[in-house]
Amino acid sequence: MTAAFTVSAEEAGARLTVDLGAIARNYRALAAMTHGAECAAVVKADAYGTGIETTAPALADAGARTFFVAHVSEARRLRAVVPAATIYVLNGLFAEALDIYARHDLRPVLGSREEIERFGAFCRTTGRRSPAAIHVDTGMNRLGLDMAEAALIAEPGPQALAFEPALLMSHLACADDPGHPLTARQIDRFAQVRALFPGIAGSLANSAGCTLPATHHDLARPGIALYGGRYRADREPLEAVVRLEAPLIRVRDVRAGDTVGYGATWTATRPSRIGIVSVGYADGYIRATSASDTRTGASVRVAGRACPLAGRVSMDLLAIDLTDAGAVKPGDPVTLIGDGIGVDDIAQPAGTIGYEVLTSLGRRYHRRYIQD
Ligand SMILES: *Cc1c(COP(=O)(O)O)cnc(C)c1O
């Protein structure tokens, strides 16, 4: 395995701290919510940006035995750090990579008749009835067999399959929105599907589903809640996991009427103090969080105070209105995520979700793992 490129504290523009203790506590909170079922951990997209090599072993230490990733490449990285875990590949069968599943003991999540046939044929050639999950679509209309296809596959009985059907799963589309009628329909349809495949473990719950016992079945699959993101519109997230801090690299005074940044979209309405930090959209600080004369953007915290962005986020820099922050100087710390600013608070002005903020976290940060 090639080592990831790491950025030292001295050369970085910002420091990202990932709290493995918070991840472990969030895992245990979700396992308690889903008690009676096994609680897996979804670690796709580099464990939602937190770093799969470090986060997955912390989750295993907290009790996770089953992991889900999206890609085979992620599964291979994961296998290197959690040798004993059960690993499922959500995006199905990467047809050119069949031998990689076998070599690293990875379980594909099979979601079409072609995938089921192809994996069955592969198992016949290897002479091993390898385990896999069967994904049935109950309303997302993305991956998964439709209900009629599932019935056809189930008809001859699970023993007729050339692979071992270890898990039957489906994915909720709207469980973060309490009372959305699609969730009840998906719960009903999944019950019908399970009746077609008696004796096979079932999995339906994502993070939001962990709060809905009717979705627990045998195995819950939380992702975002582990990492401190909002998982239900009407609930506060679990414990915050990431913290992003950067020093002010420049502080300057501007006059009323001066503009800041590309496009001159933000105008000082009073004599103002502007601070600059070495973080931009190339670091995953989403450009859509920008502030202008007509729109409030994201904010950061300086010396305990909320300070709004001033102007557009550029590739490598962003500007902050420090006018109300009191005496500040270059080198003083700015908190971009943390101290009450959650990933969802950055997502909101950008019109996106905490998931995107987390999975965009940049490669130029100095990364530090703590176990608070
Ligand atoms: C990403 C994903 C999850 C986890 O969803 P969260 O909303 O992050 O909890 C679970 N199951 C599947 C199939 C997924 O793709």
Side-chain angles (χ1 to χ4, degrees), residues 42 44 48 90 142 169 171 206-207 221-224 355:
V42 180
K44 60 194 180 189
Y48 289 51
L90 287 167
R142 220 173 46 169
M169 61 162 271
H171 191 34
N206 54 2
S207 295
R221 309 185 309 268
I224 192 70
Y355 296 70

Side-chain angles (χ1 to χ4, degrees), residues 16-77:
L16 181 74
T17 305
V18 177
D19 185 348
L20 298 173
I23 293 180
R25 287 187 291 278
N26 290 345
Y27 174 80
R28 288 194 289 266
L30 290 159
M33 280 185 215
T34 56
H35 72 98
E38 182 189 339
C39 188
V42 180
V43 294
K44 60 194 180 189
D46 203 20
Y48 289 51
T50 64
I52 195 169
E53 274 85 6
T54 314
T55 294
L59 285 162
D61 286 347
R65 287 172 284 131
T66 301
F67 292 83
F68 290 83
V69 290
H71 287 243
V72 183
S73 61
E74 297 174 323
R76 206 155 47 72
R77 282 171 67 186

Side-chain angles (χ1 to χ4, degrees), residues 60-106:
D61 286 347
R65 287 172 284 131
T66 301
F67 292 83
F68 290 83
V69 290
H71 287 243
V72 183
S73 61
E74 297 174 323
R76 206 155 47 72
R77 282 171 67 186
L78 179 59
R79 176 55 79 211
V81 295
V82 288
T86 298
I87 299 177
Y88 285 100
V89 180
L90 287 167
N91 284 12
L93 200 61
F94 289 62
E96 308 298 318
L98 283 168
D99 57 316
I100 300 179
Y101 292 85
R103 196 157 357 112
H104 299 279
D105 189 18
L106 310 176

Side-chain angles (χ1 to χ4, degrees), residues 286-290 295 297-298 345-353 356-357:
I286 297 174
R287 186 171 175 275
T289 59
S290 296
R295 163 173 202 290
D345 298 315
I346 295 178
Q348 202 263 334
T352 182
I353 51 179
E356 190 175 0
V357 172

